[in-house]
Amino acid sequence: MATGLIPLTVIGLSLLAIIAIAVCLVSFYVTDELQKHVDDSLLCAVEAHAAAVEDSLDVVLGYIGTYKLALEEAMARPQYITQYQKDAYCNVTTDGVPIFTTCYDYGGACIYGVYQPNEEEWERYVYRTMAVDNVMKSFYNHTGNVVMVYYVTMRAVLCKIYPYIPDLAVAMGPHSPLLGIPPVVESDRTHNPNGDAFFSSLYLDLTGAGWMVTAAQPIYRVTNQSVPEMVVCADVLVKVLVDKYLTGKMIPFDGSYGILASTSGQLIAVPKQGIHDLGLESMITVQGSDEYNFDTQNINLCNVSNAKELCKVIRCNNSGVNSHAHIGESVKVLTWSYITSTKWMLFIIVERTTVYHSVNRLVDNLTIGAVLVAVIIVAVIILLSILFFWQSRSMSKKIGTPLNVFSKMLENIGTGSYVQEPPHFSVDELNRTAQTLSAVGKQLGTNVEKLKALNDAYSRFIPSAFIETLGKQDVVSVKLGDCSQCEMTILFADIRGFTQISEQMSPTELFNYLNTYMQYVGPVVTKNGGFIDKYIGDGVMSLFPNCAADAIRCSTDILVAVQSFNETIRDSRHRMQVGIGIHTGPVILGTIGFENRMDATVIADSVNVASRLEGLTKQFKVPIIVSDFTLRQVNLSDIGVESQYLGHVCLKGKKIPLPVHALWSCSDPVVFTDNHLVEALRQFESGHFQDCLDMLRKIDRSTSAECVDALSTVYEEQCVQYMKLGCPLHVGSTPLLMDVK
């Protein structure tokens, strides 16, 4: 029964996982799709809202254009000024400022000026425009956004305003600031090259009504004028824009609001909630009525820390939605749309919880349902687990002890104790299992021993260092064609006079002789960080991958090992001498052959050079010769070795002479200090062969070392050869022409 509960538990857990995954996927998909739908709906509403704002503002610009045309026509048409027209305005000058209002209500307008105009200015700017006062009045009455319609003249410093404001003179004072307000300043050719109708920057109303923007249209008397003659204006209060378009029923969600800004970032209109969210309380202040510093009152959203999300899209000139905008103290949904005619950007900001309330509620319901189903499944699983627990306790008593014994046997086999005696159990199946496990351990131990012996055998034919250089872990992984290029030091060691020695021995004695010799040499190579690549008859080729000093140290140790070997030989005829050549250079290590027979080898010109240097030891009668390139990599004093320069040798098959040196241990010095010999070498390399011969003949051959005598002989032969055949063209020192194979 307990065994049958296991699949039931697995099925229950699987159902629980499937439900959890399904709920997550459905919640994610539903949430994503519903949010996209809400975002699209919100974007459509904002675009429609922006279109309504644009249409409403376009109406203002359209009326401005109509009023401009009416003014141009009235001013261009000559007319007789009647007394009736002159009596149409009455002077209500206040505090020395001339204010004239209409007496017969031609629109309820008034004339404001800094000084008393003359008859010509009155005729041009006042009487002739009386005919269009009704246009001004109609403009004001038919656009709900406009709070004041007026025109400003640049030359006469006059302004005609509708409707009449009794406190206008007090508000403006004796010095007119009208010429400095943004709609007038921004109407010249510098700011408005084409002379089109436009909306001005945000500024503070002169009469104290509040912040406003103005729809303006310049009028030029001459086409190429830089400053217009008149500017037709219509003021729109920010409060009107906020109340009408940025709050209330125009915004599609409760608690939402809108913001108007120019594409340069200048704030145009913002409600109280926006002031709070953007942290503008300390920046938006209305100054006293005598101060009109408009530039410092402008607010650019790009300089407001809480408006970073708005600044990212303020110049994009399109529509969009950002459902995770950090504005104020919470995450909000930011929607924007571009108003083309005014080059403004309309932002609608809605609380995220308000927008996605229905979506979140649906997801919560799905989650609650999934949790209820999961609770039921968990309850069933717990009940089944309790039943399984009671059943498993009785089963564990029967199989727990044998399992522990089997686990201990496997642990011992894993640590190398392959022979395990099988225990005895009362159940036949357990006994068979124990016997099988014991047999597996014994067989595994036998296989491990065979594999270890096989690896040891392989390592005797292919050095482990060679395999490591190829980047392989063991010989099994080595394949035909594997190769690696690196720089190594090559050491060739060869027995002198081996032919004569071999003729005096039987084949068996000869092999025993060589193997005994290799028993002395092989450990010396390994001790000094090298490995033997191959045996070439009586010769040994060793590689040193670490440094050249290892090879030079090994060469002197080989000489010591050979001396120890000779001490074991009773027959003096069988005592040996060895010659050693050392060179450093790039080599290629790899495998060569075919699929059924391959071998590890080294291919490089450096190998040939080392072999030929070993051959030179016969002619120079020295035990060790090393190339100059190798010698320059080693500090000889650190390893107790001395050297003697032998000259530049032109080896067979090489065009460039190779400088070579003889080496010997400091404990067994060789005398190369004859001044005549040193001078002879210098004369030879300078090409003075006769002088070289003269110096060589002064050497006392009877008392000099064998190597000095051999070196002198080599240089005498080379001088005679050069003097007979002539010296070939060369650069640097004269080379020795040595015939070494």
Side-chain angles (χ1 to χ4, degrees), residues 246 257-261 265-284 299-312 314 325-330 332-334 345 347-351:
L246 306 184
Y257 60 90
I259 294 176
L260 278 175
Q266 185 191 29
L267 183 63
I268 296 175
V270 58
K272 290 183 179 179
Q273 183 61 36
I275 294 174
H276 173 72
D277 287 345
L278 298 179
L280 302 177
E281 293 90 342
S282 61
M283 301 176 66
I284 297 182
I299 298 176
N300 193 300
L301 291 177
C302 294
N303 299 327
V304 178
S305 59
N306 288 349
K308 293 180 179 179
E309 301 289 347
L310 280 67
C311 290
K312 292 179 181 178
I314 201 165
H326 294 272
I327 301 175
E329 300 174 353
S330 61
K332 296 179 173 58
V333 179
L334 172 65
M345 189 68 78
F347 297 97
I348 299 299
I349 300 173
V350 189
E351 288 290 343

Side-chain angles (χ1 to χ4, degrees), residues 21-38:
I21 295 173
V23 170
C24 292
L25 292 176
V26 171
S27 300
F28 175 79
Y29 177 77
V30 171
T31 303
D32 186 62
E33 290 298 319
L34 290 178
Q35 285 186 359
K36 288 181 180 178
H37 178 72
V38 172

Side-chain angles (χ1 to χ4, degrees), residues 136-311:
M136 178 184 290
K137 181 177 181 180
S138 176
F139 183 6
Y140 174 79
N141 292 333
H142 288 84
T143 55
N145 299 329
V146 175
V147 296
M148 182 182 293
V149 181
Y150 56 95
Y151 69 77
V152 179
T153 66
M154 299 297 190
R155 189 166 62 87
V157 197
L158 290 171
C159 179
K160 192 168 190 178
I161 303 173
Y162 183 89
Y164 169 64
I165 301 175
D167 296 331
L168 184 64
V170 177
M172 294 188 176
H175 302 289
S176 172
L178 285 174
L179 296 182
I181 62 176
V184 176
V185 174
E186 296 170 3
S187 64
D188 60 12
R189 294 290 188 187
T190 302
H191 298 84
N192 188 12
N194 298 326
D196 299 328
F198 66 95
F199 275 94
S200 70
S201 304
L202 187 70
Y203 68 101
L204 191 64
D205 179 41
L206 299 177
T207 62
W211 294 96
M212 65 171 52
V213 291
T214 299
Q217 171 70 68
I219 299 175
Y220 290 91
R221 179 185 296 183
V222 181
T223 304
N224 59 357
Q225 276 184 295
S226 61
V227 177
E229 181 183 3
M230 303 173 65
V231 181
V232 181
C233 303
D235 292 341
V236 180
L237 281 176
V238 169
K239 185 179 185 303
V240 174
L241 295 177
V242 172
D243 295 341
K244 191 170 183 179
Y245 299 110
L246 306 184
T247 56
K249 296 181 179 180
M250 293 295 291
I251 307 299
F253 294 94
D254 295 337
S256 59
Y257 60 90
I259 294 176
L260 278 175
S262 68
T263 53
S264 64
Q266 185 191 29
L267 183 63
I268 296 175
V270 58
K272 290 183 179 179
Q273 183 61 36
I275 294 174
H276 173 72
D277 287 345
L278 298 179
L280 302 177
E281 293 90 342
S282 61
M283 301 176 66
I284 297 182
T285 57
V286 180
Q287 298 181 348
S289 58
D290 294 334
E291 301 180 28
Y292 302 100
N293 189 351
F294 300 107
D295 292 338
T296 57
Q297 294 295 334
N298 289 338
I299 298 176
N300 193 300
L301 291 177
C302 294
N303 299 327
V304 178
S305 59
N306 288 349
K308 293 180 179 179
E309 301 289 347
L310 280 67
C311 290

Side-chain angles (χ1 to χ4, degrees), residues 425-605:
F425 299 103
S426 59
V427 181
D428 292 339
E429 288 80 1
L430 295 177
N431 283 328
R432 287 195 295 270
T433 302
Q435 292 171 1
T436 301
L437 186 60
S438 176
V440 169
K442 292 178 180 178
Q443 185 62 42
L444 181 62
T446 302
N447 293 339
V448 169
E449 291 297 327
K450 289 181 179 180
L451 183 61
K452 183 178 180 181
L454 183 61
N455 284 333
D456 292 341
Y458 276 134
S459 64
R460 289 195 291 271
F461 287 93
I462 301 178
S464 58
F466 192 99
I467 296 175
E468 292 174 0
T469 305
L470 291 178
K472 305 297 181 179
Q473 295 182 349
D474 50 49
V475 71
V476 178
S477 59
V478 177
K479 298 179 181 179
L480 182 65
D482 288 339
C483 62
S484 175
Q485 182 173 358
C486 58
E487 184 175 271
M488 287 189 177
T489 301
I490 304 98
L491 183 149
F492 268 90
D494 189 65
I495 300 175
R496 293 286 168 264
F498 180 72
T499 302
Q500 290 80 0
I501 296 175
S502 64
E503 290 175 350
Q504 302 170 12
M505 296 181 182
S506 66
T508 302
E509 292 174 337
L510 182 60
F511 267 92
N512 291 334
Y513 177 81
L514 287 176
N515 286 330
T516 305
Y517 161 67
M518 296 303 176
Q519 291 292 332
Y520 281 86
V521 174
V524 172
V525 174
T526 304
K527 182 186 71 172
N528 287 281
F531 62 91
I532 297 175
D533 177 63
K534 58 174 59 69
Y535 298 101
I536 309 171
D538 60 315
V540 177
M541 174 182 167
S542 303
L543 301 177
F544 294 84
N546 297 324
C547 62
D550 293 342
I552 293 177
R553 189 182 299 108
C554 178
S555 66
T556 58
D557 289 349
I558 288 176
L559 297 181
V560 175
V562 169
Q563 185 177 357
S564 300
F565 170 77
N566 287 335
E567 292 175 356
T568 64
I569 303 300
R570 296 180 179 179
D571 191 344
S572 61
R573 296 176 302 169
H574 297 167
R575 292 174 184 172
M576 67 171 67
Q577 290 183 344
V578 295
I580 300 173
I582 304 173
H583 181 60
T584 304
V587 298
I588 300 177
L589 291 83
T591 56
I592 192 170
F594 68 106
E595 294 181 355
N596 296 329
R597 176 67 175 93
M598 63 179 181
D599 193 8
T601 188
V602 178
I603 300 174
D605 180 66

